[in-house]
């Protein structure tokens, strides 16, 4: 007990010494939450967020509070707020999404909520293709139609034109349909962005040869 009291005393001293650094207030809230003082912890988090609404550390701790209190609807809303915030680090967003997907699967695996959230996320500007790749992987897990998954692969290629995996997935899909014009449209930029990848030359050559053969047959 004495060591615990010493911990909270030190945190409060740090908060007083650095009144504009809200991380110490959040740390106080975390200590209170871990030691069974939920109402006091919530008050700390809300106090920080009132002064600094975009404080991601406080928002993450508030999410932990909602989960600890089994306030599922508030936890989901808080998770979405963090996922859609430009201030949340990419790595944190990936962890949040993976946890959300895991929780969703344990509750029956209704994909509607997850897909709606992916839609909101991908409607925003993306710093990299990681979110779209996770979305495509989730859609594959849920065995969604290939054409639906391809819309996400196209989004990946839009974000990262040199993304080999997504471009090859689109090529394989187009090859199944014998859509040679589409293969050419996908493979040509692949050659430009990834000149060392032999597969793009391979698909491009096959598509050109098949188109030439079709023209000969028509003539």
């Amino acid at each position: 007990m004495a060591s615990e009291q010493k911990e909270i005393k030190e945190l409060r001293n740090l908060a007083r010494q650095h009144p504009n650094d809200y991380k110490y207030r959040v740390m106080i809230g975390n200590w209170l939450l871990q030691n069974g003082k939920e109402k006091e912890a919530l008050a700390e988090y809300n106090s920080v967020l009132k002064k600094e609404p975009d404080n991601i550390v406080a928002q993450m701790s508030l999410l932990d509070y909602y989960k600890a209190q089994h306030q599922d609807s508030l936890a989901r809303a808080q998770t979405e707020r963090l996922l859609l915030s430009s201030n949340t680090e990419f790595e944190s967003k990936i962890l949040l999404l993976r946890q959300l997907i895991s929780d969703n699967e344990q509750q029956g695996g209704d994909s509607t909520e997850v897909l709606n959230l992916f839609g909101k996320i991908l409607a925003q500007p993306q710093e990299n293709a990681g979110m779209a790749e996770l979305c495509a992987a989730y859609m594959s897990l849920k065995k969604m139609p290939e054409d639906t998954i391809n819309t996400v692969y196209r989004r990946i290629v839009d974000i990262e034109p040199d993304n080999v995996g997504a471009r090859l997935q689109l090529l394989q899909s187009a090859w199944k349909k014998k859509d040679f014009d589409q293969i050419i449209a996908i493979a040509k930029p692949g050659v430009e962005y990834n000149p060392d990848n032999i597969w793009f030359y391979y698909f491009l050559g096959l598509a050109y040869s098949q188109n030439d053969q079709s023209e000969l047959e028509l003539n």
Side-chain angles (χ1 to χ4, degrees), residues 105-168:
E105 288 298 308
Q106 290 177 11
Q107 294 164 10
D110 181 5
S111 62
T112 305
E113 176 189 356
V114 178
L115 290 173
N116 285 340
L117 187 51
F118 268 123
K120 291 178 183 178
I121 293 170
L122 294 179
Q124 298 180 321
Q126 300 295 303
E127 60 182 272
N128 58 54
M131 284 289 173
E133 288 176 327
L134 185 57
C135 181
Y138 177 74
M139 287 179 164
S140 297
L141 175 70
K142 303 305 285 186
K143 295 180 168 49
M144 297 190 67
E146 188 173 293
D147 287 346
T148 303
I149 302 175
N150 283 345
T151 61
V152 182
Y153 283 131
R154 283 191 285 273
R155 181 79 170 99
I156 293 171
V157 170
D158 286 340
I159 299 167
E160 292 180 357
D162 60 345
N163 191 298
V164 173
R167 197 175 288 278
L168 286 176

Side-chain angles (χ1 to χ4, degrees), residues 150-195:
N150 283 345
T151 61
V152 182
Y153 283 131
R154 283 191 285 273
R155 181 79 170 99
I156 293 171
V157 170
D158 286 340
I159 299 167
E160 292 180 357
D162 60 345
N163 191 298
V164 173
R167 197 175 288 278
L168 286 176
Q169 288 287 346
L170 290 170
L171 281 171
Q172 289 169 9
S173 180
W175 182 257
K176 288 181 200 173
K177 299 173 184 176
K178 305 301 180 187
D179 188 341
F180 303 117
D181 289 335
Q182 183 66 17
I183 290 169
I184 292 169
I186 297 168
K188 280 185 73 175
V191 169
E192 295 171 11
Y193 285 103
N194 303 95

Side-chain angles (χ1 to χ4, degrees), residues 24 42 54 58 112 116 167 190 211:
Y24 297 111
L42 180 61
D54 293 329
T112 305
N116 285 340
R167 197 175 288 278
N211 268 352

Side-chain angles (χ1 to χ4, degrees), residues 10-100:
E10 288 177 356
L11 286 173
R12 292 194 188 283
N13 283 336
L14 285 168
R16 281 193 292 270
Q17 292 169 18
H18 307 277
N20 296 320
D21 190 342
Y22 296 119
K23 71 181 179 187
Y24 297 111
R25 294 287 302 278
V26 175
M27 290 170 69
I28 290 171
N30 293 344
W31 186 93
L32 292 167
L33 184 61
Q34 291 166 10
N35 286 273
K37 301 178 184 296
E38 290 88 354
K39 289 184 179 179
E40 294 176 48
L42 180 61
E44 288 291 342
Y45 301 145
N46 284 335
S47 176
V48 170
L49 291 169
K50 185 176 180 180
K51 296 172 182 174
E52 201 171 75
D54 293 329
N55 189 301
I56 294 298
V57 177
Q59 288 191 22
M60 293 289 282
S61 291
L62 185 59
L63 174 60
D64 290 337
Y65 169 84
Y66 289 143
K67 287 183 176 180
Q69 296 300 301
H70 305 291
Q71 297 178 357
D72 296 338
S73 60
L74 289 174
R76 283 194 296 272
Q78 184 66 12
T79 297
E80 181 170 334
R81 191 174 298 116
L82 284 161
L83 286 169
L84 296 177
S85 172
S86 59
N87 294 320
T88 307
E89 291 184 357
F90 175 75
E91 291 76 11
S92 297
K93 288 185 178 183
I94 291 292
L95 289 174
L96 285 168
L97 260 175
R98 286 178 174 161
Q99 185 60 56
L100 185 146

